[in-house]
């Protein structure tokens, strides 16, 4: 095994600084007060406001020291003497003095409250304009738009009617028509009102037929699509007759006390739990119902440990498994805050994972690793380079057992490169969360800048490219889809063209994986949340947390470390029609946070941090919460008594490959496991 040494990385902090000469740090003990330019901040989302802090001594004289100014990631942006509000809410900016190593000084700290508000509302738009028939109820919806053109999520609308004798409206926009006549329905939000006028007419329906009831039983998680056909006295179909759907449940033996049983949406139904389910369609005075049994999905499989490549010196980051040009199989892993090491393994025999080489580059962290589909080259991301020009390291993999540095590339990506994606001739590399740069790597020894894409007012975390579309995960903006070779929107690698974007309700889109499902003909986007707190949940971590990794948490004294606090879940978007994406399902595990994911052969492979590796059945049309539907196939939580952190699960990245599942664990290295055909309960 050999190691290549370039530079030892300098300490790098992912926070905002007020910089000062190094010598000035020695003045930390003189500071008695921190004086902010304002006592509190109020910012309109998207705007920035000046904010500075001065350190003074007992006499009030200015002390030149280095200050650390931090705020919540993705919610506030702090730097260059300004604070930018990214998401509305109430937050805190924390300020402290940077104390030199070995100093015993305990200078004061400071907390400044920040309120980020929404821009003013410009207009309200009522979206529903269907015919109102007496004796029916039609739910209306409305959207509120700010003066900057952005949509206000979940506006607290006030609904009103002009004539309650003709029609009433509830707090959720449900309009119930009572008698023939004319009525105006109004929706108001923050002083802005919109209205729609209805002419209520007599209900002409005479019969209702319910279609789509299953002949036999279905499984939990199976989507059953019903159709309600309303006819008038002549037998003609009434296309605009409003239909209301409802669902009832009867528990079978052993299923009493079930908190949630299924989901109904516009005629589509999915059962969460086994039992007898009844779907009812109502149109005016007409109704029809169908009952059927949902049985357990029964997809649990045994997951067998095959091999383990222990890493006990460094914290392992992402992995990439690929077939080398020599026909053997290899793995690459990165490392976190570990001096810029990447490790190379022969995984041809997954039961005998063998480390064959290591490489050290000028970086604090190698977060991401990739190899081209043809195995011709590999690439390492860099964060925290000593010269502050992070960029990429491109490796020649002509001899996979002896990777060679082909090029150091940083044009357009001098900021930290957190993630990237490798095609055969093109590299897509993030630049400090601002954009991704597209690099021509036809000649890996002479890579060339080709183009870039920077979505307005967005922060970028990850990018995945498939079939000519680039899917970038951009936190609050959600997933941004760009044509980089699909051609339907005129895009190419040299000319990226925006297609669409979709923001999730959580605003924490960390990773996106596109998947075409052959059985249904649907394209789904799996969007992984990453939420670095458990705000609003009843608990905040394990009794013995290792969150700091360098400083063990002691539950008896309450000192050291900090609680592990990741959470989040998978949001699933129907992307079959790119111009009209729709959120249809989720895989929700609120106790643990999601990280990287992979979808293959109707299975979701999810790295769930403390929640371990999770394999989920995604066969058939997807709707509702996959977790409650019993779609979990297998769960594995790796631990090693001699890992970097002993007996602590923290799964980082997962990739299925040639019948095995490989994953990296931050605390214990590289693992391989295999799903077995027989089934057993998972405790």
């Amino acid at each position: 095994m050999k190691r290549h040494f370039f530079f030892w990385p300098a300490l790098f902090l992912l926070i905002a600084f007020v910089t000062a000469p190094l010598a000035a740090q020695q003045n930390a003990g003189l500071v008695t007060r921190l004086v902010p330019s304002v006592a509190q901040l109020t910012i309109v989302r998207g705007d920035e406001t000046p904010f500075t802090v001065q350190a003074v001594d007992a006499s009030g004289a200015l002390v030149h020291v280095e200050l650390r100014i931090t705020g919540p990631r993705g919610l506030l942006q702090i730097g260059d003497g300004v604070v930018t509000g990214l998401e509305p809410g109430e937050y805190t900016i924390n300020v402290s003095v940077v104390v030199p190593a070995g100093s015993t000084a305990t200078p004061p700290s400071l907390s400044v409250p920040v309120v980020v508000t929404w821009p003013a509302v410009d207009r309200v738009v009522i979206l529903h304009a269907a015919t109102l028939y007496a004796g029916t109820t039609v739910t209306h919806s409305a959207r509120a738009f700010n003066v900057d053109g952005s949509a206000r999520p979940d506006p607290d609308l006030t609904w009103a009617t002009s004539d309650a004798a003709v029609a009433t409206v509830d707090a959720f926009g449900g309009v119930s028509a009572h008698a023939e006549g004319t009525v105006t329905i109004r929706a108001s939000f923050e002083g802005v009102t919109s209205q729609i006028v209805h002419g209520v007419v007599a209900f002409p329906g005479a019969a209702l037929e319910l279609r789509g009831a299953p002949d036999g039983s279905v499984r939990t998680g199976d989507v059953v699509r019903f159709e309600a056909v309303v006819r008038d006295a002549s037998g003609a179909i009434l296309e605009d007759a409003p239909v209301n759907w409802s669902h009832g449940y009867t528990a079978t033996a052993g299923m009493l006390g079930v908190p949630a049983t299924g989901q109904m949406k516009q005629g589509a139904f999915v059962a969460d739990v086994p039992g007898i389910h009844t779907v009812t369609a109502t149109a005016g005075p007409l109704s029809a119902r169908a009952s059927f049994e949902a049985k357990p999905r029964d997809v649990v499989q045994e997951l067998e440990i095959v091999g383990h490549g222990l890493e006990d010196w460094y914290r392992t980051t992402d992995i990439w498994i690929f077939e080398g040009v020599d026909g053997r199989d290899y793995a690459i892993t990165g490392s976190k805050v570990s001096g810029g090491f990447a490790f190379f393994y022969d995984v041809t025999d997954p039961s005998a994972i063998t480390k064959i080489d290591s490489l050290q580059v000028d970086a604090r962290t190698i977060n991401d690793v990739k190899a081209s589909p043809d195995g011709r080259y590999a690439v390492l991301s860099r964060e925290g380079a000593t010269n502050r020009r992070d960029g990429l390291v491109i490796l020649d993999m002509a001899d996979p057992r002896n990777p060679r540095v082909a090029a150091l590339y940083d044009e357009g990506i001098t900021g930290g490169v957190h993630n990237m994606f490798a095609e055969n001739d093109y590299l897509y590399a993030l630049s400090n969360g601002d954009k991704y740069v597209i690099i021509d790597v036809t000649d890996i020894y002479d890579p060339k800048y080709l183009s870039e894409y920077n979505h307005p007012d967005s922060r970028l975390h990850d990018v995945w490219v498939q079939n000519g579309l680039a899917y970038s995960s951009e936190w609050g903006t959600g997933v941004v889809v760009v044509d980089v070779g699909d051609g339907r929107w005129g895009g190419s690698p040299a000319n990226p063209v925006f297609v669409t974007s979709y923001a999730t309700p959580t605003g924490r889109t960390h990773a996106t994986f596109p998947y075409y499902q052959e059985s249904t003909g649907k394209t789904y986007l799996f969007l992984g949340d990453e939420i670095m707190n458990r705000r609003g949940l009843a608990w905040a971590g394990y009794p013995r947390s290792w969150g700091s990794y360098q400083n063990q948490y002691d539950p008896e004294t309450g000192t050291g470390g900090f609680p592990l606090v990741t959470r989040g879940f998978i949001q699933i978007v129907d992307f079959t029609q790119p111009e009209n994406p729709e959120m249809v399902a989720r895989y929700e595990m609120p106790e643990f946070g999601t990280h990287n994911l992979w979808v293959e052969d109707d299975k979701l492979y999810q790295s769930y941090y403390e929640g371990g590796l999770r394999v989920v059945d995604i066969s058939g049309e997807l709707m509702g919460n996959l977790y409650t539907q019993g779609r979990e196939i297998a769960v594995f939580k790796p631990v090693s008594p001699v890992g970097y952190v002993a007996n602590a699960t923290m799964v980082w990245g997962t990739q299925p490959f040639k019948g095995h599942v490989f994953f990296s664990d931050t605390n214990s290295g590289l693992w391989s496991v295999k799903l077995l055909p027989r089934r057993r309960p998972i405790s």
Side-chain angles (χ1 to χ4, degrees), residues 153-154 169 193 382 466 582:
D154 300 321
V169 59
T193 299
R382 295 206 297 168
Q466 184 172 293
E582 179 186 8

Side-chain angles (χ1 to χ4, degrees), residues 117-190:
T117 65
W118 287 103
V121 175
D122 177 62
R123 68 189 194 281
V124 174
V125 179
I126 298 177
L127 303 179
H128 195 89
T131 302
L132 274 184
Y133 293 110
T136 68
T137 297
V138 176
T139 299
H140 292 47
S141 60
R143 299 185 68 188
F145 295 90
N146 305 312
V147 291
D148 62 357
S150 62
R152 185 72 65 88
D154 300 321
D156 187 12
L157 298 161
T158 300
W159 294 89
T161 178
S162 65
D163 191 342
V166 177
T168 54
V169 59
D170 62 25
F172 310 102
V175 179
S176 298
H178 307 298
E180 297 179 54
T182 301
V183 66
T184 300
I185 302 298
R186 299 183 177 89
S188 302
F189 179 61
E190 294 188 358

Side-chain angles (χ1 to χ4, degrees), residues 349-367:
D349 180 358
S351 67
I353 298 174
T354 304
K355 185 183 290 186
I356 57 175
D357 205 353
S358 65
L359 186 71
Q360 188 185 34
V361 301
D362 179 14
R364 177 182 56 91
T365 289
I366 298 176
N367 180 79

Side-chain angles (χ1 to χ4, degrees), residues 579-599:
E579 297 85 356
N580 187 35
E582 179 186 8
M583 182 78 70
V584 293
R586 66 172 49 177
Y587 171 61
E588 183 173 351
M589 266 284 295
E591 296 95 333
F592 305 109
T594 68
H595 197 233
N596 293 342
L597 66 156
W598 198 288
V599 185

Side-chain angles (χ1 to χ4, degrees), residues 534 540-549 551-555 559-565 610 645 648 650:
R534 290 196 175 109
Y542 293 130
R544 291 185 64 84
S545 172
W546 297 81
S548 73
Y549 296 98
N551 186 16
Q552 181 183 350
Y553 178 73
D554 187 342
T559 61
F562 57 86
L564 294 171
V565 292
E610 313 103 296
V645 177
M650 186 59 73

Side-chain angles (χ1 to χ4, degrees), residues 658-679:
K658 295 185 179 181
H660 291 80
V661 183
F662 293 86
F663 65 90
S664 61
D665 184 278
T666 295
N667 296 329
S668 57
L670 177 65
W671 296 75
S672 65
V673 295
K674 185 178 180 64
L675 287 171
L676 302 180
R678 63 183 182 274
R679 298 172 298 206

